[in-house]
Amino acid sequence: MVMVRPFKAIRPNEKYVDKVAALPYDTMNTEEARDMAKENEFSYLRIDRAEIDLPVDTDIHDEEVYKKASENLKMFLENEILQREKNQHLYIYREVMNGRDQIGIVGCVSVDEAVNGKIKKHEKTKPDKVEDRTKHIEYCGANTGTILLTYNNRRKIDEIILSEMNKKPIYDFKTEDKIGHTVWKIDQYTSEKIQKEFEEVDYLYIADGHHRSAAAVRYAQEKRENLKEYTGEEEFNFYLAMIVPKKDLLVMDYNRVLKDLNGYKLDDFICEVEKNFLVEKVDIRYKPTKKYEYGMYLDKSWYRLIFKEEKNLNGIVEKMDVSVLHDYLIEPILGIEVPQKDERIDFVGGIRGLEEIEKLVDNEMKIGFSLYPTSIEELIEVANNDMIMPAKSTWFEPKVRCGLFLHEI
């Protein structure tokens, strides 16, 4: 069983909701965040990336940034841009992108279940990023970001959600990227039914938000150590999540671009690649249509790569497309051992399209690769076996908008 718990939300005043809602803090850099919010005084980025309201040269980890986040949150509440719910609720949140629905329950989940493995992870976390989000929680006194979780589909939960969606929503709006967002508030009786149904779910899986989840766990553990009396019911023992059945999740490709060919000349590089891949030059941008196919953009040309030795692959992680590209090309030929730490490589979410690969390679980069998306089944298999996927293996769309819900602790 897993625990899903109603909470007293901090959420936007309806008349500001379309202006408050913002992409997650880690999908952009400071310059991009500042540009997104420059003509929008209500943007949640003023809380989630508060450095945009400080001098341009401010270090994003400076204490002043966290103080500014806290100050802006208080200002949003005082000006009734955000408001506090009087009672605990669960919510239904639907996003519609290109005619496709992503529908989930928004509520709180248990820190203890994140520790004991009922909430399963598949990525490593970086200490500096966990420290950043932990401080953000501490200064704001709230879980300020919504983690995306998934689970194996459960028909009864689907039926409850569909029934509730016949009622009047509390929010219904579109963001600038043409994605629709609709939210329904669930009454106590129906919330209890949903909670009971989740008690029949074996595990939840982190899809997106490993650092925010780890930060919530760390904050709770630190608070426990400093309490003289502890009941387990304190709000910091629970953190904010949108819980979506796996059938509703869309995993997109997560592509790679690199700054150089590691000293190889073009023809020599192609010869090295051909040791493990069939290489075919193509006339159009190449988006892989099945596993172990890759697109490669180099010197204004696209190539189709097909891995030759699929039959020799062993192990859950080793069989992933991102692992094959790394193990048989990016590391041995291009010399990238630890992608998340090497400045010669960068990552491009599939939502940006193959055009973004071309743009980057035609300017500051040298070569780009398009990949076949990791499947949600692969993610769950890795998590169930307590393994870790390679860095930047999954890109989920649509992104859960931040600022629609905060969990005060």
Side-chain angles (χ1 to χ4, degrees), residues 204-220:
L204 299 175
Y205 301 86
I206 300 176
D208 206 1
H210 280 78
H211 289 95
R212 283 166 283 173
S213 176
V217 170
R218 177 174 167 179
Y219 178 79

Side-chain angles (χ1 to χ4, degrees), residues 258 261 265-267 269-270 281-282 296-303 357-358 360-363 365-368:
L258 292 95
L261 297 183
K265 294 182 179 178
L266 178 59
D267 290 343
F269 172 74
I270 295 291
K281 196 170 185 178
V282 294
M296 182 173 73
Y297 184 65
L298 174 63
D299 197 29
K300 302 283 186 179
S301 296
W302 278 94
Y303 298 80
I357 294 176
E358 290 184 352
L360 291 168
V361 172
D362 289 345
N363 289 281
M365 309 302 271
K366 180 66 177 178
I367 186 171

Side-chain angles (χ1 to χ4, degrees), residues 21-184:
L23 287 166
Y25 80 101
D26 55 355
T27 61
M28 69 201 74
N29 60 34
T30 300
E31 183 179 348
E32 290 170 329
R34 186 174 282 112
D35 186 61
M36 289 177 183
K38 67 181 179 182
E39 295 181 0
N40 181 5
E41 62 182 307
F42 307 115
S43 173
Y44 188 68
L45 292 175
R46 301 194 181 281
I47 295 167
D48 226 11
R49 299 218 56 148
E51 72 270 16
I52 68 175
D53 282 342
L54 294 171
V56 173
D57 59 351
T58 302
D59 187 312
I60 62 171
H61 298 123
D62 192 290
E63 294 292 323
E64 292 302 314
V65 175
Y66 306 109
K67 290 178 182 178
K68 190 64 177 177
S70 175
E71 177 185 314
N72 284 350
L73 174 54
K74 290 176 183 176
M75 181 267 289
F76 273 41
L77 285 165
E78 288 170 359
N79 293 341
E80 298 184 351
I81 300 162
L82 297 176
Q83 56 194 11
R84 288 183 172 92
E85 284 274 19
K86 294 180 180 179
N87 300 308
Q88 294 186 337
H89 292 280
L90 294 177
Y91 300 84
I92 295 168
Y93 178 18
R94 180 181 69 190
E95 296 174 274
V96 182
M97 184 180 78
N98 298 327
R100 186 183 185 280
D101 288 356
Q102 176 175 282
I103 306 171
I105 298 292
V106 175
C108 284
V109 294
S110 167
V111 163
D112 287 330
E113 291 184 356
V115 173
N116 67 25
K118 296 295 287 185
I119 299 174
K120 291 185 173 292
K121 58 188 178 181
H122 64 266
E123 286 184 6
K124 288 183 179 178
T125 53
K126 296 178 69 175
D128 61 327
K129 289 188 175 183
V130 175
E131 173 74 13
D132 169 58
R133 288 300 99 178
T134 304
K135 284 188 174 180
H136 204 267
I137 293 170
E138 178 184 352
Y139 276 80
C140 292
N143 299 130
T144 51
T146 306
I147 291 90
L148 179 64
L149 302 179
T150 191
Y151 62 100
N152 288 310
N153 309 331
R154 185 163 177 80
R155 180 179 56 82
K156 289 185 178 180
I157 297 176
D158 293 343
E159 290 173 352
I160 294 171
I161 288 173
L162 288 174
S163 176
E164 288 297 302
M165 286 168 54
N166 290 320
K167 300 177 181 178
K168 184 179 178 180
I170 58 171
Y171 302 135
D172 190 14
F173 65 98
K174 283 189 176 181
T175 40
E176 290 181 355
D177 52 9
K178 310 302 182 186
I179 294 175
H181 305 268
T182 312
V183 176
W184 292 263

Side-chain angles (χ1 to χ4, degrees), residues 252-253 255 287 348-358:
M252 299 186 75
D253 41 311
N255 302 313
K287 187 177 180 66
V348 182
I351 192 68
R352 294 178 180 264
L354 302 186
E355 300 89 340
E356 184 70 11
I357 294 176
E358 290 184 352

